[in-house]
Amino acid sequence: MASVPSLASSVEQRVSDALASALPEAGAADPLLRRSDRADFQANGILALAKKAKANPRDLAATVLEGLDKGGVIKDVEVSGPGFLNITVSDEAIIRTLAARAADDRLGVPLNASAGTTVIDYAQPNVAKEMHVGHLRSAVIGAAMVEILEFTGEKVIRRHHIGDWGTQFGMLIQYLLEHPHELDHKSDEEVSGEEAMSNLNRLYKASRALFDSDEEFKTRARARVVDLQAGDPETLALWQRFVDESKIYFYSVFDKLDMDIQDADVVGESGYNDMLVETCKLLEESGVAVRSNGALCVFFDDVKGPDGNPTPLIVQKSDGGFGYAATDLSAIRDRVAGLSATTLIYVVDARQSLHFKMVFETARRAGWLGDDVKAVQLAFGTVLGKDGKPFKTREGETVRLVDLLDEAVERAAAVVREKAQDLTEEEIAERGAQVGIGAVKYADLSTSAARDYKFDLDQMVSLTGDTSVYLQYAYARIQSILRKAGEARPAAHPELELTASERALGLHLDGFGTLIAEAAAEYAPHKLAAYLYQLASLYTTFYAECPVLKADNPEQVENRLFLCDLTARTLSKGMSLLGIRTPEKL
């Protein structure tokens, strides 16, 4: 693999060198290079430098221009305004750079030189509970970040911190003990996720009703929590049945989402039980946490409740029970000391922001999060209905995730069927799933994670606008052109002159590596989605303005096929990093 420097970085280097020789006393200076609508690039850094050196910016710009090494990359430069440089690169440089990208499996995208180990905590459903639309964002955003970071060379460890512990299990286990066949399966065949979930739902409702109406059962259920926490073997064996049954269901949903979740990566709250006592002991002995009304608390100067009194992080309750904080702090100890993480990412609802701020600060005070470890909450907003209110069913219930995904696939299959020319029913169903699930993921990922977004299926599966279907059709259209090309093969011809739409497409293709680095550093998958949408739009313009197979001469046909092919490869790579399939035919 060969990392290919982008045209922007080559131009930047040249302007930087010319600046350094025009103003040696300024040292290494940032030319502030931006894409521009006046030329290919504009360098704005001369103004600030001239101000510092008390020089005339236009004169300094002229000196820089004189000393600029154009070296086959830069075709034209002019000084504009108060001292900007407008820079146009040569057509030859565009095609040569793209040819170098095309020759590399990674499209010339460099690996991050300072890559480390990231533990990412995402897709955290609760045992014995149905997954709803709120679980969608953590899974989709987390999975995209895993792919993007791994592509940059980061070692990524996935963690699914499922809710598999707590007082509600006393009620469930006691009920199962008294009704031992409630989780039995109808047959020895493979159990469907639907059957597993309906078993759990039925048992949950029945045990809840008994808990609320029968005092004696309530007492037995509470005693069962104590047995569970004490590690009683019979109680743990029954608890394990709930976890196993729930996993059948979880995995069926993740499968529908076209996501690969491995058993070894599922380490729920229970995975840190053995560390809780020690975590509390270390916090208390070091003075990071103090006893307050019997509870073990950590206080912060800047965290106060509505009454103006300090709101602490409660690590251990006064009755000896452990809160979420104890588990989260133990998980940090494990991830940093045990897994050697240099970065911790938590893909968790924005409403948990205060909790994580307090947990991270506590871990820093305790020395578990050193200066060399970064901890980030990749906080996400709420999924809203078309009416802009939190997404609910007509009856006011939270929406089941499975229903939502099934409906998306159904709508997408209808769109595919309408457009399909030579697809079999089986292919329509397969494409429907790829388009429908892609549409749901893309709608989520094309919005900045921190913002709420509207869940509107009509919009999501639309062929026009900023949707994954639009990108998938652009990809399929290119594949169709490549299939029709017959003898003509994609080949780069740097000697040809390019049209405006070829140039625009080429310059955008060249920015892929820079964009990936940015999306990885900022944990911003929406930036990749925006890049891909712009790529498909530029391709659509190119396709409308530049005949490919009917171009003027064989070299131009090959060069345009080359641009088509590199666009398809970039789209496909970018979409796969977002977890979205690109069917060859639509």
Side-chain angles (χ1 to χ4, degrees), residues 44-261:
N44 305 338
I46 291 171
L47 295 179
L49 273 177
K51 197 171 171 188
K52 224 160 137 193
K54 299 194 169 48
N56 176 318
R58 269 192 81 94
D59 293 348
L60 179 57
T63 314
V64 170
L65 192 150
E66 264 166 52
L68 194 60
D69 167 19
K70 301 196 178 68
V73 173
I74 297 174
K75 179 184 167 194
D76 192 37
V77 193
E78 56 164 30
V79 177
S80 85
F84 300 131
L85 289 183
N86 285 344
I87 300 165
T88 306
V89 293
S90 70
D91 292 353
E92 182 186 346
I94 293 176
I95 297 297
R96 282 197 192 286
T97 303
L98 295 184
R101 292 199 179 287
D104 178 48
D105 285 345
R106 291 175 50 83
L107 302 173
V109 176
L111 290 164
N112 176 5
S114 53
T117 299
T118 292
V119 176
I120 178 164
D121 186 326
Y122 68 106
Q124 312 104 341
N126 292 313
V127 165
K129 286 197 182 151
E130 189 117 39
M131 287 175 74
H132 55 77
V133 68
H135 290 115
L136 181 67
R137 298 206 72 187
S138 173
V140 169
I141 294 166
M145 273 325 304
V146 167
E147 295 299 326
I148 291 169
L149 288 168
E150 283 189 331
F151 186 55
T152 64
E154 188 77 6
K155 178 186 173 189
V156 180
I157 300 171
R158 303 155 170 80
R159 278 292 172 265
H160 307 294
H161 191 84
I162 62 173
D164 65 354
W165 203 248
T167 48
Q168 74 278 16
F169 282 100
M171 169 183 97
L172 295 169
I173 293 167
Q174 190 58 35
Y175 188 87
L176 185 59
L177 193 69
E178 296 173 15
H179 304 79
H181 298 295
E182 284 297 300
L183 286 182
D184 291 357
H185 297 140
K186 292 183 190 122
S187 70
D188 297 337
E189 317 274 284
E190 200 176 324
V191 186
S192 71
E194 275 299 313
E195 187 191 327
M197 196 60 237
S198 78
N199 271 348
L200 290 163
N201 265 339
R202 195 182 57 248
L203 197 148
Y204 190 86
K205 284 182 181 140
S207 64
R208 182 87 242 176
L210 198 57
F211 187 85
D212 291 341
S213 63
D214 181 334
E215 279 305 316
E216 287 180 355
F217 175 75
K218 187 183 275 188
T219 306
R220 294 197 297 280
R222 287 190 168 145
R224 189 59 60 187
V225 178
V226 180
D227 295 339
L228 177 66
Q229 289 174 338
D232 168 58
E234 182 194 23
T235 306
L236 278 176
L238 289 168
W239 166 81
Q240 190 63 50
R241 287 191 64 188
F242 283 98
V243 174
D244 294 342
E245 195 76 5
S246 299
K247 280 184 175 176
I248 296 173
Y249 161 70
F250 296 158
Y251 292 165
S252 73
V253 179
F254 288 127
D255 204 41
K256 232 180 241 263
L257 265 171
D258 195 12
M259 258 179 214
D260 179 31
I261 302 264

Side-chain angles (χ1 to χ4, degrees), residues 61 65 158 253 331 355 386 425 512-513:
L65 192 150
R158 303 155 170 80
V253 179
H355 169 78
K386 284 188 197 181
E425 273 305 307
F512 185 56

Side-chain angles (χ1 to χ4, degrees), residues 506-518:
L507 284 165
H508 192 67
L509 282 167
D510 185 44
F512 185 56
T514 310
L515 183 279
I516 291 287
E518 202 174 295

Side-chain angles (χ1 to χ4, degrees), residues 411-420 423 428 431-432 435 473 586:
R411 296 274 187 99
V415 171
V416 173
R417 176 172 283 112
E418 209 173 294
K419 296 277 288 187
L423 296 180
I428 289 173
R431 303 292 195 282
V435 171
Y473 266 103
L586 270 176

Side-chain angles (χ1 to χ4, degrees), residues 131-137 383 391 398-401 404 455:
M131 287 175 74
H132 55 77
V133 68
H135 290 115
L136 181 67
R137 298 206 72 187
V383 181
F391 200 23
T398 46
V399 181
R400 296 172 66 215
L401 186 50
L404 207 81
F455 196 95

